[in-house]
Amino acid sequence: MAKQSIFGRIAQLTKANINNLIDQAEDPQLMLDQLVRDYTNNIADAKSAVAETIGNLRLLEQDHKEDVDAAADWGTKALAASKKADELRTGGQAAEADKFDALAKVAIGRQMSSEKEAKDAEPTIAQQNQVVDKLKAGLTNMEQKLTELSSKRNELVARSKMADAQSKVNDAIGSINVMDPTSDLGRFEDKIRREEAKVMGQQELQSSSLDAQFESLENLDAQTEVEARLAQLKLGGGAAPVEHWDSKPLGS
């Protein structure tokens, strides 16, 4: 009855849909932990029961082999006794021959009995072999389910830890947002931009001042030329253009 209960649990647990169980559980991690423990315990019980069933099957097979060997041995003895009886009868020892024939009959009876026991055991052995194969398959399925459960459980724990870590990160980000240092950075950036703009203004101002100096120099050159032409007119030299001080005379 205990074996039947164990094998029933094997079938029930093997058919369990893990994803449905997780969806229905209030606390999937606790549920999976419990399932892993249940599977582990039931696998241990199932292994013990299956080992016992296999052991009983091997005993049946050993008994069957002994019956087969015994039948063969009694057959050999019956043949030997029958030959001996024939030899004695040929030699005129009928009484002794009858004794060996009687021994041969006993051996044949034992042979037939062993053959019957072996034949009667064969259907039971065949049936038990089928049972053992099914039990082994069920045990293999349970072990696969246990691996699947353990994997699911580890995945769930990892996801839970990741979610917890993400939650902590989000909380940290939230606390940073409350302080919001970006406004200070913005003000500092504005200050730097104003300083950069001031430098650009100074550069532009310096550039304008330098341009003005060059323009005044050009005006001075023009005034000098005017004065030189006026002096030429007074000397009666006509209004020919006066060469600049830095020009070379013609034909030089």
Side-chain angles (χ1 to χ4, degrees):
M1 190 68 180
K3 288 184 189 178
Q4 185 63 35
S5 176
I6 293 171
F7 299 151
R9 290 203 301 272
I10 292 177
Q12 182 179 1
L13 291 173
T14 300
K15 292 178 181 178
N17 188 315
I18 295 174
N19 291 325
N20 288 341
L21 292 174
I22 293 174
D23 293 338
Q24 296 172 6
E26 294 181 1
D27 191 331
Q29 182 175 340
L30 290 178
M31 183 276 297
L32 284 174
D33 286 341
Q34 184 61 48
L35 274 179
V36 168
R37 285 192 293 270
D38 290 344
Y39 263 78
T40 301
N41 293 334
N42 281 283
I43 285 176
D45 293 341
K47 282 184 176 180
S48 177
V50 172
E52 184 179 350
T53 302
I54 293 173
N56 292 334
L57 173 59
R58 298 297 174 253
L59 288 177
L60 286 175
E61 292 174 339
Q62 289 177 4
D63 290 343
H64 177 265
K65 185 177 183 303
E66 288 176 1
D67 289 335
V68 171
D69 292 341
D73 184 55
W74 285 116
T76 301
K77 289 179 179 179
L79 180 60
S82 176
K83 286 183 178 180
K84 184 66 175 178
D86 292 343
E87 291 175 2
L88 290 172
R89 190 167 284 106
T90 301
Q93 301 179 34
E96 290 297 322
D98 290 340
K99 289 181 181 180
F100 278 95
D101 278 338
L103 287 175
K105 291 179 181 180
V106 172
I108 290 173
R110 297 287 179 85
Q111 179 187 22
M112 292 174 61
S113 177
S114 296
E115 288 175 348
K116 184 178 184 303
E117 289 181 4
K119 186 175 181 180
D120 290 343
E122 288 174 358
T124 301
I125 292 174
Q127 181 183 10
Q128 287 298 101
N129 270 308
Q130 292 179 355
V131 170
V132 167
D133 289 341
K134 290 180 180 179
L135 292 177
K136 285 181 178 180
L139 192 57
T140 299
N141 288 337
M142 281 193 70
E143 290 173 339
Q144 291 174 349
K145 282 287 184 178
L146 179 59
T147 300
E148 183 180 351
L149 273 173
S150 299
S151 177
K152 283 283 186 180
R153 187 262 179 199
N154 294 337
E155 176 188 351
L156 186 64
V157 170
R159 287 170 57 189
S160 176
K161 290 181 179 179
M162 185 177 298
D164 183 61
Q166 186 63 47
S167 176
K168 291 179 180 179
V169 170
N170 292 337
D171 291 342
I173 292 175
S175 63
I176 290 175
N177 287 337
V178 171
M179 298 176 64
D180 194 9
T182 57
S183 59
D184 295 332
L185 290 176
R187 287 193 297 272
F188 184 61
E189 183 180 4
D190 288 340
K191 179 182 179 181
I192 292 175
R193 290 183 63 192
R194 287 194 298 272
E195 291 177 353
E196 290 174 342
K198 182 179 179 181
V199 171
M200 287 190 295
Q202 290 173 343
Q203 291 175 343
E204 184 174 342
L205 183 61
Q206 290 175 356
S207 177
S208 299
S209 176
L210 187 60
D211 290 340
Q213 292 178 19
F214 276 107
E215 288 177 1
S216 64
L217 182 59
E218 291 176 357
N219 292 334
L220 179 61
D221 289 342
Q223 184 64 34
T224 302
E225 184 176 353
V226 169
E227 294 293 337
R229 288 193 181 195
L230 178 61
Q232 184 69 24
L233 287 174
K234 289 182 180 297
L235 292 174
V242 178
E243 295 181 357
H244 294 286
W245 61 272
D246 57 342
S247 298
K248 295 181 180 180
L250 293 174
S252 64

